Amino acid sequence: MNLEMQFKKTLKEIRLSKKDKILVAMSGGKDSAVTAYLLHKFGYDIEGVHIDLKMGKYSKDCYNAIKTLCENLGINLHVYDVKKEMGSSMCYIRSAVQSKHKGKIKNCAICGVIKKWILNKVARKLRFSKIATGHNLDDEVQTILINIFKGSIDLSATSGPITKNIKDKKFITRIKPLFYVLEDDVRNYAKKKKLPVVFDKCPCAIDSYRIQVRNFLEKVPGKEKQNIMKNFEKLSPKIKKKNIEMNYCEVCGEPSRGKICKKCELMQI
Ligand code: SF4
Ligand SMILES: [Zn+2]
C-alpha cells in the first residue's frame, strides 16, 4: 500500500470528519510537513501551529520552511513564541529545569512535556477539535520498546492513531495520521513532492534515551518494524486499560492526571 493510501486508511479508521477543525503541529521537519500537505490535499479543514523554541539557526530554518509550505498551500499559520510567552528560550528553560532536578531529566523529556502543554492550550483557545502531529511508525515502535524497557507497557496500551480513553472538555483529542507509515517512506515522499523541509536533526536531541533506541532500531528492516506494531496491537487489548481520570492542574488549570500537571511540576523552581 502506498503512503497516500495508508494515510487515507488511517483517517477512515479514526473517523476523521471534514467537519473537524484540525490544528497541525508543525516543527519544520518532514513528518509534520507531509501530515499538513496530505490533510490539505484530501480537503480537511486545517491550520498550522509552530512552537518557536528559539534555538538559534535551527529554529530559524524550521520557521522559514514552515512559512514557505503554508504560503504555498494557503494554510493559516499560528506561531507560539516560547521566549515571548514563557519568558525564555527552550534552551534556558531546559537548563533551569535540569539544574533543579540535578540533570536527571533529559532535554527531550522537558521539551516534549512543555510542547504538549502549549499545544493543548493553544488548540483549545482557538477552538480546534483535533490536534494532528507527524509521528510515524518508527517513532511509535521506539515508544513501544522504550515502555517495554522501562517496565511501563501500560502507557503504550493507550496509544494509537487517535488518543484513547481520555474524555475531558479541556483536553483536545490528538491524531497521528502517519502512525502506520515508515519513516523512510515519509522522507522519500517529502523529497518526491519537493516539500520545504529541514532534514537535519534537532541539535538538542543529543542525550535522549530515545536516540539510543532509534540507533538500535536502525538495523531492523522496515517489515520487522511493521511486525512489531502488528503484534503489539494484537497484544494490546489484553493489557489492562482504564479510562484516564482527568483533574485540572492546581497551578495552571490545564488537564492533568495528578494534582499538578507535568509541565508545572518541572517548572516549579
Ligand atoms: S528533538 Fe527533543 S529537544 Fe529537539 S525539539 Fe524535539 S523534543 Fe525538543
Ligand atoms: Zn500546570
Side-chain angles (χ1 to χ4, degrees), residues 47-65:
E47 293 185 22
V49 64
H50 173 56
I51 303 175
D52 186 352
L53 302 170
K54 296 284 172 203
M55 300 194 302
K57 184 180 177 304
Y58 177 74
S59 288
K60 282 187 193 136
D61 291 346
C62 288
Y63 172 68
N64 288 336

Side-chain angles (χ1 to χ4, degrees), residues 57-118:
K57 184 180 177 304
Y58 177 74
S59 288
K60 282 187 193 136
D61 291 346
C62 288
Y63 172 68
N64 288 336
I66 298 162
K67 197 166 160 272
T68 308
L69 180 68
C70 289
E71 279 172 6
N72 289 351
L73 300 178
I75 297 173
N76 190 26
L77 176 66
H78 305 269
V79 178
Y80 184 100
D81 182 324
V82 165
K83 206 169 188 174
K84 233 188 259 168
E85 305 281 346
M86 301 181 94
S88 338
S89 69
M90 184 54 76
C91 304
Y92 185 84
I93 297 173
R94 250 188 347 241
S95 27
V97 170
Q98 278 166 339
S99 63
K100 181 196 165 201
H101 294 273
K102 300 189 175 62
K104 277 188 213 136
I105 309 177
K106 305 289 186 197
N107 282 0
C108 294
I110 299 166
C111 185
V113 163
I114 295 175
K115 285 195 298 187
K116 265 191 192 171
W117 181 89
I118 293 171

Side-chain angles (χ1 to χ4, degrees), residues 3-13 42 44:
L3 186 147
E4 291 195 7
M5 278 160 70
Q6 179 60 69
F7 192 93
K8 275 190 185 169
K9 189 170 174 256
T10 304
L11 299 187
K12 202 171 160 200
E13 186 187 314
F42 297 143
Y44 289 89

Side-chain angles (χ1 to χ4, degrees), residues 53 68 77 100 130 151 160 207 223-224 230 239 245 253:
L53 302 170
T68 308
L77 176 66
K100 181 196 165 201
K130 301 275 188 302
D207 61 356
K223 190 94 200 98
E224 296 307 329
K230 222 183 276 165
I239 302 170
E245 289 284 332

